[in-house]
Amino acid sequence: MIFQKTTLNLPRFINQKITFNMKKLLMAAFFTAVTMGAFAQSEKTQPLHFSVGLDAALPFGDYGDVYSFGIGGSVQGNYWLDNTLALTLSAGYMNYSGKTVNGFKYSSAGMVPVLAGIEYNFTPNVFASGQLGLTFGTEKGAGSNFTYAPGVGYRFTENFSALLKYTGMSVKGGGSSFSAAGLRIAYTF
């Protein structure tokens, strides 16, 4: 259980015969209320936020030789630890269009990235993101690959943001590398 109910042992406090100066008590209560009110306005009211995003990517490197453009969607959950730092968990689907190379037409490739990481707010509008996880290929026998995705974003409003990111994938067995520059346009609710 994350939250536990705390109870005070009132008879112990009463038996100690602590006396308070009423003015000091009222000043302390007033100061606490004002301070808590100020922090409550600057903090996110709910620690858990979800977003849906439209993702676009341009592959480069070995992967860019056979695939031209990727488009897809994603969902992400942010659990805010404070005003500046959140834990993230995301999943999505990306489809990359195949190119024709030397008369051979490569078929499109589908990928399902599942990533976890952090998001850090430099200002209320500018943030950085870093995620690690696995990307699963949708073709039969495609398997999964370790994936990392750092990025920098801008929050236009409380609900709309854009994230420019680099996605890299470590391909098993020393095969072709995967690299892509991407953009995620997201709506947060």
Side-chain angles (χ1 to χ4, degrees):
M1 181 194 242
I2 296 174
F3 298 103
Q4 294 181 344
K5 186 176 180 182
T6 304
T7 58
L8 298 175
N9 186 355
L10 292 177
R12 183 175 60 111
F13 290 109
I14 294 170
N15 289 336
Q16 291 178 355
K17 297 182 182 178
I18 299 173
T19 60
F20 290 102
N21 181 331
M22 190 55 107
K23 286 183 182 178
K24 288 182 183 176
L25 179 61
L26 289 174
M27 287 299 288
F30 176 76
F31 178 73
T32 302
V34 169
T35 303
M36 295 299 280
F39 282 122
Q41 290 178 7
S42 64
E43 290 183 351
K44 298 189 180 309
T45 57
Q46 297 177 358
L48 186 59
H49 292 219
F50 293 97
S51 65
V52 292
L54 176 64
D55 296 271
L58 289 173
F60 55 92
D62 295 338
Y63 206 72
D65 293 340
V66 294
Y67 295 99
S68 61
F69 183 75
I71 190 151
S74 61
V75 293
Q76 179 169 304
N78 285 21
Y79 183 80
W80 290 95
L81 302 173
D82 61 26
N83 282 345
T84 59
L85 185 64
L87 301 177
T88 65
L89 181 62
S90 66
Y93 176 79
M94 291 292 292
N95 186 50
Y96 289 90
S97 299
K99 289 182 178 178
T100 301
V101 179
N102 296 329
F104 179 78
K105 171 68 173 152
Y106 284 89
S107 62
S108 63
M111 297 182 181
V112 177
V114 179
L115 306 170
I118 61 170
E119 185 173 300
Y120 180 78
N121 289 337
F122 294 108
T123 71
N125 298 95
V126 179
F127 63 95
S129 174
Q131 294 185 307
L132 303 172
L134 291 174
T135 295
F136 301 90
T138 59
E139 290 79 33
K140 187 174 182 176
S144 61
N145 293 301
F146 173 75
T147 305
Y148 52 98
V152 176
Y154 186 81
R155 199 168 281 107
F156 299 101
T157 68
E158 189 173 308
N159 299 100
F160 288 101
S161 64
L163 174 70
L164 288 173
K165 64 181 179 176
Y166 168 84
T167 302
M169 211 183 313
S170 299
V171 179
K172 296 175 186 172
S176 299
S177 65
F178 172 86
S179 299
L183 173 66
R184 180 178 193 256
I185 305 294
Y187 176 78
T188 301
F189 50 94

Short mmCIF file of all heavy atoms in Angstrom, two decimals, residues 156-184:
data_model
loop_
_atom_site.label_atom_id
_atom_site.label_comp_id
_atom_site.label_asym_id
_atom_site.label_seq_id
_atom_site.Cartn_x
_atom_site.Cartn_y
_atom_site.Cartn_z
N PHE A 156 3.76 23.70 -25.59
CA PHE A 156 3.08 24.90 -26.08
C PHE A 156 2.00 25.36 -25.11
O PHE A 156 1.82 26.55 -24.89
CB PHE A 156 2.47 24.64 -27.45
CG PHE A 156 3.50 24.30 -28.49
CD1 PHE A 156 3.70 22.99 -28.88
CD2 PHE A 156 4.28 25.29 -29.06
CE1 PHE A 156 4.66 22.67 -29.81
CE2 PHE A 156 5.24 24.99 -30.00
CZ PHE A 156 5.44 23.66 -30.39
N THR A 157 1.25 24.40 -24.59
CA THR A 157 0.24 24.66 -23.57
C THR A 157 0.35 23.51 -22.57
O THR A 157 1.18 22.62 -22.73
CB THR A 157 -1.20 24.68 -24.14
OG1 THR A 157 -1.55 23.36 -24.58
CG2 THR A 157 -1.33 25.68 -25.29
N GLU A 158 -0.50 23.51 -21.57
CA GLU A 158 -0.50 22.42 -20.60
C GLU A 158 -0.85 21.09 -21.27
O GLU A 158 -0.44 20.04 -20.81
CB GLU A 158 -1.50 22.72 -19.49
CG GLU A 158 -1.42 21.77 -18.33
CD GLU A 158 -2.31 22.20 -17.18
OE1 GLU A 158 -2.22 23.36 -16.76
OE2 GLU A 158 -3.10 21.35 -16.73
N ASN A 159 -1.57 21.14 -22.40
CA ASN A 159 -2.03 19.92 -23.06
C ASN A 159 -1.29 19.55 -24.34
O ASN A 159 -1.37 18.39 -24.76
CB ASN A 159 -3.53 20.03 -23.38
CG ASN A 159 -4.35 20.20 -22.12
OD1 ASN A 159 -4.75 21.30 -21.80
ND2 ASN A 159 -4.58 19.13 -21.39
N PHE A 160 -0.60 20.49 -24.99
CA PHE A 160 0.06 20.19 -26.26
C PHE A 160 1.57 20.37 -26.15
O PHE A 160 2.05 21.39 -25.65
CB PHE A 160 -0.49 21.09 -27.38
CG PHE A 160 -1.88 20.72 -27.80
CD1 PHE A 160 -2.95 21.46 -27.34
CD2 PHE A 160 -2.11 19.65 -28.64
CE1 PHE A 160 -4.25 21.12 -27.71
CE2 PHE A 160 -3.40 19.30 -29.01
CZ PHE A 160 -4.48 20.04 -28.54
N SER A 161 2.30 19.39 -26.68
CA SER A 161 3.77 19.45 -26.66
C SER A 161 4.34 18.82 -27.91
O SER A 161 3.67 18.05 -28.61
CB SER A 161 4.32 18.75 -25.41
OG SER A 161 4.02 17.37 -25.45
N ALA A 162 5.60 19.14 -28.17
CA ALA A 162 6.35 18.54 -29.27
C ALA A 162 7.70 18.08 -28.73
O ALA A 162 8.32 18.79 -27.93
CB ALA A 162 6.54 19.55 -30.40
N LEU A 163 8.13 16.92 -29.16
CA LEU A 163 9.40 16.34 -28.72
C LEU A 163 10.22 15.96 -29.94
O LEU A 163 9.77 15.19 -30.79
CB LEU A 163 9.15 15.10 -27.85
CG LEU A 163 10.37 14.30 -27.42
CD1 LEU A 163 11.20 15.09 -26.41
CD2 LEU A 163 9.96 12.95 -26.83
N LEU A 164 11.42 16.54 -30.07
CA LEU A 164 12.39 16.13 -31.09
C LEU A 164 13.29 15.10 -30.43
O LEU A 164 13.86 15.36 -29.36
CB LEU A 164 13.23 17.31 -31.57
CG LEU A 164 12.53 18.32 -32.44
CD1 LEU A 164 13.45 19.52 -32.68
CD2 LEU A 164 12.14 17.70 -33.77
N LYS A 165 13.42 13.93 -31.07
CA LYS A 165 14.21 12.88 -30.43
C LYS A 165 15.03 12.09 -31.43
O LYS A 165 14.75 12.07 -32.63
CB LYS A 165 13.31 11.94 -29.64
CG LYS A 165 12.32 11.14 -30.45
CD LYS A 165 11.47 10.27 -29.54
CE LYS A 165 10.46 9.46 -30.34
NZ LYS A 165 9.70 8.56 -29.49
N TYR A 166 16.05 11.48 -30.89
CA TYR A 166 16.89 10.53 -31.63
C TYR A 166 16.54 9.14 -31.11
O TYR A 166 16.45 8.94 -29.90
CB TYR A 166 18.37 10.83 -31.38
CG TYR A 166 19.27 9.73 -31.87
CD1 TYR A 166 19.66 9.67 -33.20
CD2 TYR A 166 19.71 8.72 -31.01
CE1 TYR A 166 20.48 8.66 -33.66
CE2 TYR A 166 20.53 7.70 -31.46
CZ TYR A 166 20.90 7.68 -32.79
OH TYR A 166 21.71 6.66 -33.24
N THR A 167 16.32 8.20 -32.00
CA THR A 167 16.05 6.82 -31.58
C THR A 167 17.15 5.94 -32.16
O THR A 167 17.42 5.98 -33.36
CB THR A 167 14.68 6.33 -32.08
OG1 THR A 167 13.67 7.20 -31.56
CG2 THR A 167 14.41 4.92 -31.62
N GLY A 168 17.79 5.19 -31.30
CA GLY A 168 18.82 4.25 -31.72
C GLY A 168 18.48 2.86 -31.24
O GLY A 168 17.89 2.68 -30.17
N MET A 169 18.84 1.89 -32.05
CA MET A 169 18.56 0.51 -31.70
C MET A 169 19.83 -0.31 -31.87
O MET A 169 20.51 -0.20 -32.90
CB MET A 169 17.48 -0.04 -32.64
CG MET A 169 16.61 -1.07 -32.01
SD MET A 169 15.39 -1.76 -33.14
CE MET A 169 14.67 -0.36 -33.93
N SER A 170 20.17 -1.09 -30.86
CA SER A 170 21.30 -2.01 -30.95
C SER A 170 20.80 -3.31 -31.56
O SER A 170 20.01 -4.02 -30.95
CB SER A 170 21.88 -2.28 -29.56
OG SER A 170 22.34 -1.09 -29.00
N VAL A 171 21.26 -3.61 -32.76
CA VAL A 171 20.80 -4.80 -33.47
C VAL A 171 21.66 -5.98 -33.06
O VAL A 171 22.88 -5.90 -33.03
CB VAL A 171 20.85 -4.57 -35.00
CG1 VAL A 171 20.39 -5.79 -35.75
CG2 VAL A 171 19.99 -3.36 -35.36
N LYS A 172 21.00 -7.08 -32.72
CA LYS A 172 21.70 -8.29 -32.27
C LYS A 172 22.58 -8.86 -33.37
O LYS A 172 22.26 -8.79 -34.55
CB LYS A 172 20.68 -9.35 -31.84
CG LYS A 172 19.86 -8.94 -30.65
CD LYS A 172 18.80 -9.99 -30.35
CE LYS A 172 17.88 -9.51 -29.25
NZ LYS A 172 16.75 -10.41 -29.06
N GLY A 173 23.70 -9.43 -32.96
CA GLY A 173 24.58 -10.11 -33.90
C GLY A 173 25.41 -9.19 -34.77
O GLY A 173 25.98 -9.61 -35.76
N GLY A 174 25.49 -7.91 -34.42
CA GLY A 174 26.33 -6.98 -35.18
C GLY A 174 25.80 -6.66 -36.56
O GLY A 174 26.55 -6.27 -37.43
N GLY A 175 24.50 -6.83 -36.78
CA GLY A 175 23.90 -6.54 -38.09
C GLY A 175 23.79 -5.04 -38.32
O GLY A 175 24.48 -4.23 -37.70
N SER A 176 22.91 -4.68 -39.21
CA SER A 176 22.69 -3.28 -39.55
C SER A 176 22.24 -2.50 -38.32
O SER A 176 21.50 -2.99 -37.48
CB SER A 176 21.61 -3.17 -40.63
OG SER A 176 22.02 -3.84 -41.79
N SER A 177 22.69 -1.25 -38.25
CA SER A 177 22.29 -0.40 -37.13
C SER A 177 21.01 0.34 -37.50
O SER A 177 20.69 0.50 -38.67
CB SER A 177 23.40 0.59 -36.79
OG SER A 177 23.59 1.48 -37.87
N PHE A 178 20.28 0.77 -36.48
CA PHE A 178 19.08 1.55 -36.70
C PHE A 178 19.25 2.89 -36.01
O PHE A 178 19.60 2.96 -34.84
CB PHE A 178 17.85 0.84 -36.11
CG PHE A 178 16.61 1.71 -36.15
CD1 PHE A 178 15.82 1.74 -37.27
CD2 PHE A 178 16.27 2.51 -35.07
CE1 PHE A 178 14.69 2.55 -37.32
CE2 PHE A 178 15.15 3.31 -35.11
CZ PHE A 178 14.36 3.33 -36.23
N SER A 179 19.00 3.95 -36.74
CA SER A 179 19.01 5.31 -36.20
C SER A 179 17.91 6.09 -36.89
O SER A 179 17.68 5.93 -38.08
CB SER A 179 20.35 6.01 -36.47
OG SER A 179 21.41 5.32 -35.86
N ALA A 180 17.22 6.94 -36.11
CA ALA A 180 16.16 7.76 -36.69
C ALA A 180 16.04 9.06 -35.92
O ALA A 180 16.20 9.09 -34.70
CB ALA A 180 14.83 7.03 -36.69
N ALA A 181 15.76 10.13 -36.65
CA ALA A 181 15.43 11.42 -36.05
C ALA A 181 13.91 11.50 -36.08
O ALA A 181 13.29 11.25 -37.11
CB ALA A 181 16.05 12.56 -36.84
N GLY A 182 13.30 11.81 -34.92
CA GLY A 182 11.85 11.77 -34.86
C GLY A 182 11.23 12.98 -34.23
O GLY A 182 11.88 13.79 -33.57
N LEU A 183 9.93 13.09 -34.43
CA LEU A 183 9.11 14.16 -33.86
C LEU A 183 7.85 13.52 -33.30
O LEU A 183 7.18 12.74 -33.99
CB LEU A 183 8.74 15.19 -34.92
CG LEU A 183 7.75 16.28 -34.51
CD1 LEU A 183 8.37 17.19 -33.44
CD2 LEU A 183 7.33 17.10 -35.72
N ARG A 184 7.54 13.85 -32.05
CA ARG A 184 6.29 13.40 -31.42
C ARG A 184 5.46 14.63 -31.06
O ARG A 184 5.91 15.47 -30.30
CB ARG A 184 6.57 12.58 -30.16
CG ARG A 184 5.30 12.09 -29.47
CD ARG A 184 5.61 11.23 -28.23
NE ARG A 184 4.44 10.52 -27.77
CZ ARG A 184 3.74 10.86 -26.69
NH1 ARG A 184 4.11 11.88 -25.92
NH2 ARG A 184 2.68 10.16 -26.33
#
